[in-house]
């Protein structure tokens, strides 16, 4: 063990520009320990800080995390308000430590439905983030892939109605520019912990050519070593984008 207090983690061979993760399994993590679901969300939030720091350190450009979906409002008021409270706590800390942490934050999703106090905090976080460069974490809040596509379609239709463009102008690049992820490269790798084998409305447009990695590990237990396993699996993939394998 020697003088090392932290376990040594070997750096991954391949670091994708953009990794996206569904932060799933918080509830089951808590249940396994006889704790309330909200304790799982608190542990999940701590783990986000840990993994975001690691992604920054290995030179990733973007980490996008699915924190609250357009469908998650179906949960009890108690659980929803606990999640909103944790987000508030996280953003307050992130704002205070951004200079030291060098983790810029951005948001995907329809923020108009989240509590006003959180909206203001998100806007302040965005503003502060513009003063920094480098690694960026995109937090999906009240996010749904279908909702994002509909919002983009409405924006385009409104611009057409206002005479600013015509339907024939629309192409993939232009449509991408109307999404929450405008200007951000598509995720190279989408990770879903907790054993579920579905997207649950995450990045439907952007994941068209992403690689997928599924694991049974629950999000609060998904540490740097687990991420390295996902990155090692990614390094073995042959991304053809519809072409043929390079000889
Ligand atoms: C993910 O964990 C967090 C949110 C969806 C907000 P879950 O709360 O879905 O955890 P499980 O799937 O019930 O274990
Ligand atoms: C997806 O997880 C959404 C987030 C992690 C924010 P869910 O737990 O809501 O997804 P389902 O219900 O299992 O599909
Ligand atoms: Mg879940």
């Amino acid at each position: 063990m020697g003088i090392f207090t932290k376990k040594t983690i070997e750096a991954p061979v391949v670091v994708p520009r953009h990794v996206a993760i569904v932060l799933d399994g918080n509830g089951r993590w808590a249940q396994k320990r006889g704790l309330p679901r909200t304790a799982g969300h608190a542990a999940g939030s701590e783990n986000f800080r840990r993994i975001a720091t690691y992604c920054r350190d290995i030179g990733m450009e973007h980490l996008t995390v699915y924190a609250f979906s357009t469908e998650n409002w179906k949960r009890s008021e108690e659980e929803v308000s606990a999640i909103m409270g944790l987000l508030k706590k996280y953003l307050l800390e992130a704002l205070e430590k951004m200079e030291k942490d060098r983790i810029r934050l951005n948001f995907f999703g329809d923020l108009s439905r989240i509590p006003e106090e959180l909206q203001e905090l998100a806007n302040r976080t965005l503003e502060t983030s513009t003063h920094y460069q480098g690694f960026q974490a995109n937090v999906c809040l009240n996010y749904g892939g279908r909702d994002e596509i509909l919002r983009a379609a409405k924006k385009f239709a409104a611009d057409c109605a206002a005479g600013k463009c015509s339907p024939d102008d629309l192409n993939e690049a232009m449509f991408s520019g109307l999404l929450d992820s405008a200007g951000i490269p598509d995720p190279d790798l989408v990770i879903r912990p907790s054993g579920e084998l579905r997207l649950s409305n995450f990045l439907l447009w952007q994941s068209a050519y992403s690689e997928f990695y599924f694991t049974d590990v629950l999000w609060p237990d998904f540490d740097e070593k687990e991420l390295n396993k996902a990155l090692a699996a990614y390094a073995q993939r042959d991304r053809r984008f519809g072409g043929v394998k390079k000889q």
Side-chain angles (χ1 to χ4, degrees):
M1 300 301 272
I3 56 167
F4 295 106
T5 47
K6 263 187 168 177
K7 55 185 174 207
T8 315
I9 300 154
E10 221 162 287
V13 180
V14 176
V15 178
R17 286 180 77 185
H18 185 177
V19 171
I21 310 181
V22 180
L23 308 186
D24 198 15
N26 295 347
R28 279 163 282 174
W29 183 92
Q31 239 158 23
K32 262 173 56 180
R33 288 163 177 76
L35 298 168
R37 293 179 58 81
T38 49
H41 296 313
S45 164
E46 278 307 310
N47 198 46
F48 167 64
R49 191 189 304 282
R50 173 178 182 164
I51 291 297
T53 304
Y54 183 61
C55 290
R56 177 203 67 193
D57 290 347
I58 60 176
M60 199 179 284
E61 289 175 31
H62 284 274
L63 169 70
T64 299
V65 293
Y66 203 7
F68 193 86
S69 77
T70 45
E71 288 73 38
N72 286 147
W73 299 104
K74 291 175 189 163
R75 300 184 180 203
S76 73
E77 212 188 305
E78 188 199 352
E79 183 169 346
V80 170
S81 66
I83 293 169
M84 296 300 156
L86 282 164
L87 283 163
K88 181 182 161 193
K89 182 169 168 268
Y90 184 85
L91 293 186
L92 281 170
E93 285 169 12
L95 260 171
E96 209 175 281
K97 297 201 289 188
M98 204 175 286
E99 190 171 355
K100 178 173 158 280
D101 283 355
R102 290 179 295 111
I103 298 177
R104 289 189 299 148
L105 290 173
N106 179 36
F107 302 92
F108 293 177
D110 179 3
L111 299 196
S112 70
R113 267 200 70 194
I114 64 168
E116 221 164 282
E117 191 189 21
L118 205 53
Q119 283 180 45
E120 279 164 23
L121 203 49
N123 286 333
R124 261 173 59 205
T125 313
L126 275 177
E127 218 284 308
T128 308
S129 295
T130 59
H131 302 298
Y132 299 100
Q133 282 182 341
F135 176 71
Q136 177 169 300
N138 307 298
V139 181
C140 300
L141 273 185
N142 188 31
Y143 175 87
R146 287 185 174 182
D147 179 67
E148 180 191 31
I149 290 167
L150 280 183
R151 284 185 286 110
K154 281 184 193 169
K155 258 186 257 167
F156 181 70
D159 281 351
C160 286
K164 290 187 207 157
C165 53
S166 84
D168 284 341
D169 297 335
L170 193 61
N171 55 39
E172 288 189 12
M174 186 182 182
F175 196 71
S176 294
L178 295 170
L179 297 169
D180 298 337
S181 55
I184 295 170
D186 285 342
D188 301 292
L189 174 66
V190 176
I191 299 173
R192 182 156 192 169
S194 93
E196 309 300 350
L197 306 179
R198 55 178 171 259
L199 270 181
S200 301
N201 208 5
F202 190 40
L203 303 177
L204 299 183
W205 172 278
Q206 298 87 342
S207 65
Y209 265 103
S210 301
E211 297 296 325
F212 287 87
Y213 180 85
F214 296 98
T215 169
D216 287 339
V217 175
L218 303 171
W219 168 247
D221 292 327
F222 189 91
D223 59 9
E224 295 88 343
K225 270 169 73 183
E226 295 298 332
L227 181 61
N228 276 356
K229 279 192 215 167
L231 298 181
Y234 172 81
Q236 299 302 313
R237 307 279 174 93
D238 178 26
R239 301 186 78 187
R240 292 187 294 279
F241 298 98
V244 288
K245 192 174 162 56
K246 281 196 205 92
Q247 290 307 313

